[in-house]
Amino acid sequence: MRRGKAKIISERCIDCGRCVLACPYHAKRAVCDPLSMMERFAYTVALPAPSLYGQFRNLDDIGIVLGGLLEMGFNGVYEVARAAEEMSAHALVKHGIARKGTGYGERTFPANSEIFPLISTACPACVRLICQRFPRLIPHLAPEIAPVELAALAARAEASRKTGLPPGRIGVFFITPCPAKMTAAHFPLGLSEPVLDGAFSMAEIYVKLLPAMKRAAQNGAAFQTAGLTGVGWAVSSGESAALKSMKTIAADEIPNVIAVLEAIEDGKLPEVGFVELNACTQGCVGGCLTVENPYVSKMRIRELMKKLPDTLLSRLRYEEPGTPPTRDLPLEYEPADVLDSDMSAAIEKRRRMEALLDRLPGLDCASCGAPSCHALAEDVVRGYAQEADCVFLTRESMDEGGYLPPPFRPSVSKC
Amino acid sequence: MTGAPAPEGRRSEALKERYIVDGDDFQAAGSASSAMKKLLRSLGVPPEAIRRAAICMYEGEINMVIHANGGEAEVAFDGETITMTLADSGPGIPDPELALREGWSTATDAIRDLGFGAGMGLPNMKRNSDEMTIDSTAGQGTTITMTVRV
């Protein structure tokens, strides 16, 4: 906090969206693409995130949501859940868990292999957290692109084939539950070119989608929709649930994610094959652009899953899932908490920081605007704040200068 | 409190931080290595050196909790070398040669049930440090010093 406003240090922001949810005055909002962006394209495709399905009460047919999106003005829809399902099928085959025609087989990953556990890249906030704070775990990140990116590629190709339009005239838009995926739509992690044309806030779409869904329900158009494997990705542990015979961990919320990453880094989890991480409470259903409470959405997603077949791909091409493309750029260590790029200057700053910390009251009162005395000390040496921001230090220096009357001390009389 | 940097009286050439390792608190074991990782990262130490140092510190911390009812850990960094000193006043290591053998452990069954005491701690510390010295007197305590060059 500086001069009454919450300031985000952009180099350290991983786009988790907690600030949006935390501020009681709604001072922070996520910047999303305007719906008018659709006008720029001859043909538009909506890519609904699986978490969208958890926003509606008594929804028993995903087709109504898809129909509603068409009613709203999109020319086509492509479920991200479908791409997620493909990713799950691919992972099963790739890691030797499912062998052709044999269903689920044995866990075959080498137990001491350097890259296990594999870490999911579905949550871009967690990927950025790893790039900033856990550089040693970067090789553990699954090399494939994210489901939403796979969906975008497939949707664009499908629309282009169907309409004969060049891919550039087709607008592919993600309906996002969070700002992290909003950012990733324009600046994808590990991809040289964005594959989406934009992303719309789920909350904004919701208002327009409700009446459109009513119309769609009356029209009664039928859609083939993704199965429960893909829809399950909306909630934490949905992604790992598909990897049935592997030991998996699903952690949600940043402090828990950090704890799990620390444990992996310390080598405490050698038996784990796959780690699913979500920045938001209960997974994507907890994103700050969703409408419904994460626990309510989770219940609804689970209810929907009860009505869905295991996976669409089991009928279509479970045995030969397409190979999702891999990232074309390496993910790199982006140290965000280094005090100075020059090591001796960093040591000097740290020394100054500790000297200042000795003088600060250690109350973490946050009156200065930093969340703790430690954070203020760091802000001071980084040049974001000054010592005088601490009310205690200021009082002390004014006392020393004789500017203040002596502190008021009530006298206690004994009776 | 475990893991919290203890106040430093005088400062020498190297940057130093001290951590109190609380005995018998498995939940807190690892907090010194966590705090050290954070410190080294903020100084721009390369990840590989941090990794090696963190393993040394983590194993050392666990050992102090399991065998010595806690102790004190110090990390010093002078821009080239990370020096970790772990001191406890536990039972001491009668035969350091033997203790360095993989699989050798004097941990109790209760400790083993918690997944510790596999006899890999000291060998791991040796493997991941550039230098390691064990200074131990039976009945009085152990001081282990490890260095990792950046």
Side-chain angles (χ1 to χ4, degrees):
Chain A
M1 297 282 285
R2 294 287 169 253
R3 297 183 186 280
K5 292 233 193 286
K7 184 183 179 302
I8 292 174
I9 302 169
S10 54
E11 310 89 75
R12 303 176 82 167
C13 174
I14 56 166
D15 259 325
C16 70
R18 291 332 274 174
C19 57
V20 179
L21 289 171
C23 178
Y25 305 106
H26 306 294
K28 294 279 175 215
R29 264 174 298 175
V31 180
C32 287
D33 291 325
L35 290 176
S36 60
M37 228 171 145
M38 284 165 72
E39 293 159 17
R40 287 192 221 157
F41 298 89
Y43 188 92
T44 55
V45 187
L47 267 47
S51 46
L52 179 65
Y53 310 146
Q55 309 303 311
F56 310 100
R57 186 189 287 254
N58 299 328
L59 178 76
D60 53 10
D61 177 11
I62 291 171
I64 295 175
V65 180
L66 306 184
L69 288 165
L70 296 181
E71 283 284 334
M72 250 189 81
F74 288 100
N75 303 110
V77 282
Y78 193 102
E79 286 185 276
V80 175
R82 189 170 142 191
E85 234 165 62
E86 219 165 297
M87 305 289 295
S88 290
H90 167 70
L92 285 172
V93 173
K94 180 179 174 187
H95 303 304
I97 301 159
R99 292 192 199 85
K100 272 188 189 176
T102 62
Y104 298 116
E106 289 295 297
R107 181 189 80 164
T108 54
F109 74 84
N112 294 318
S113 163
E114 279 285 298
I115 64 145
F116 279 94
L118 272 178
I119 300 175
S120 161
T121 56
C123 175
C126 293
V127 174
R128 292 182 69 179
L129 176 76
I130 290 169
C131 289
Q132 284 190 8
R133 292 182 49 171
F134 298 91
R136 202 171 76 71
L137 299 183
I138 293 175
H140 289 246
L141 287 162
E144 292 83 11
I145 61 173
V148 59
E149 290 157 354
L150 181 64
L153 292 172
R156 196 183 300 278
E158 197 181 273
S160 181
R161 214 168 34 239
K162 208 160 114 186
T163 60
L165 287 166
R169 299 206 56 203
I170 293 161
V172 179
F173 297 96
F174 180 46
I175 296 168
T176 180
C178 68
K181 288 183 175 171
M182 173 73 227
T183 308
H186 295 284
F187 306 100
L189 297 160
L191 286 183
S192 47
E193 293 278 333
V195 291
L196 285 150
D197 294 295
F200 300 137
S201 151
M202 193 172 283
E204 197 182 343
I205 289 278
Y206 178 82
V207 185
K208 298 189 165 63
L209 186 54
L210 271 183
M213 278 169 61
K214 276 209 180 97
R215 294 198 295 276
Q218 282 154 14
N219 297 349
F223 288 86
Q224 191 184 25
T225 64
L228 67 87
T229 310
V231 173
W233 282 54
V235 293
S236 178
S237 83
E239 180 183 0
S240 42
L243 301 168
K244 288 187 174 127
S245 59
M246 222 186 229
K247 282 187 184 163
T248 61
I249 287 184
D252 59 321
E253 297 186 356
I254 294 294
N256 299 326
V257 167
I258 290 175
V260 168
L261 291 172
E262 293 257 359
I264 300 171
E265 207 172 44
D266 291 340
K268 282 194 255 180
L269 300 168
E271 73 276 32
V272 174
F274 183 78
V275 178
E276 176 187 340
L277 304 171
N278 284 289
C280 297
T281 304
Q282 298 294 316
C284 294
V285 288
C288 71
L289 298 176
T290 61
V291 180
E292 194 51 271
N293 171 293
Y295 297 92
V296 175
S297 316
K298 182 184 176 186
M299 173 272 289
R300 290 183 183 157
I301 293 284
R302 291 165 73 130
E303 285 305 305
L304 266 175
M305 286 167 70
K306 288 179 190 167
K307 299 188 178 84
L308 291 168
D310 192 19
T311 166
L312 187 71
L313 298 157
S314 65
R315 294 200 302 273
L316 298 179
R317 48 198 178 102
Y318 177 69
E319 303 212 336
E320 293 288 345
T323 306
T326 50
R327 289 184 296 271
D328 63 351
L329 294 177
L331 292 170
E332 272 163 27
Y333 179 32
E334 293 161 13
D337 46 6
V338 177
L339 288 167
D340 200 294
S341 51
D342 174 62
M343 199 184 278
S344 50
I347 293 177
E348 197 38 51
K349 282 185 179 171
R350 180 78 192 194
R351 236 189 267 282
R352 274 172 49 212
M353 216 177 114
E354 286 179 9
L356 176 55
L357 253 178
D358 285 346
R359 291 167 50 222
L360 291 172
L363 288 170
D364 294 345
C365 74
S367 301
C368 61
S372 63
C373 293
H374 192 274
L376 176 65
E378 191 178 333
D379 282 352
V380 171
V381 301
R382 284 178 187 271
Y384 295 139
Q386 38 192 321
E387 283 186 32
D389 287 333
C390 174
V391 288
F392 294 89
L393 286 190
T394 301
R395 166 98 209 186
E396 244 168 56
S397 65
M398 289 178 112
D399 270 349
E400 279 159 21
Y403 301 118
L404 285 179
F408 173 65
R409 304 218 190 284
S411 56
V412 183
S413 56
K414 284 174 192 160
C415 31
Chain B
M1 217 189 75
T2 312
E8 252 313 310
R10 65 199 148 77
R11 279 164 223 288
S12 61
E13 191 72 2
L15 184 67
K16 281 182 187 170
E17 207 161 88
R18 269 214 314 269
Y19 314 100
I20 312 291
V21 178
D22 194 355
D24 289 327
D25 185 354
F26 276 96
Q27 285 205 307
S31 50
S33 88
S34 252
M36 181 188 71
K37 270 195 269 187
K38 228 179 233 177
L39 168 74
L40 296 175
R41 223 171 38 223
S42 79
L43 301 175
V45 175
E48 177 55 19
I50 298 180
R51 181 186 76 86
R52 291 169 53 215
I55 293 173
C56 293
M57 183 64 103
Y58 178 71
E59 296 285 9
E61 255 182 284
I62 295 286
N63 277 351
M64 288 205 292
V65 174
I66 294 176
H67 301 289
N69 198 29
E72 237 183 58
E74 186 187 77
V75 59
F77 180 59
D78 60 6
E80 286 168 2
T81 308
I82 306 163
T83 308
M84 289 161 281
T85 313
L86 293 103
D88 66 57
S89 40
I93 304 170
D95 186 348
E97 285 282 319
L98 189 60
L100 272 165
R101 230 183 262 167
E102 288 190 8
W104 170 262
S105 175
T106 58
T108 61
D109 285 347
I111 296 286
R112 284 168 201 260
D113 283 345
L114 288 165
F116 297 96
M120 293 304 292
L122 282 171
N124 251 341
M125 288 153 73
K126 177 103 186 148
R127 192 170 327 120
N128 284 287
S129 56
D130 289 309
E131 264 169 70
M132 176 164 114
T133 56
I134 303 177
D135 180 11
S136 188
T137 315
Q140 285 183 28
T142 303
T143 299
I144 295 184
T145 310
M146 293 168 284
T147 59
V148 170
R149 276 187 292 278
V150 169

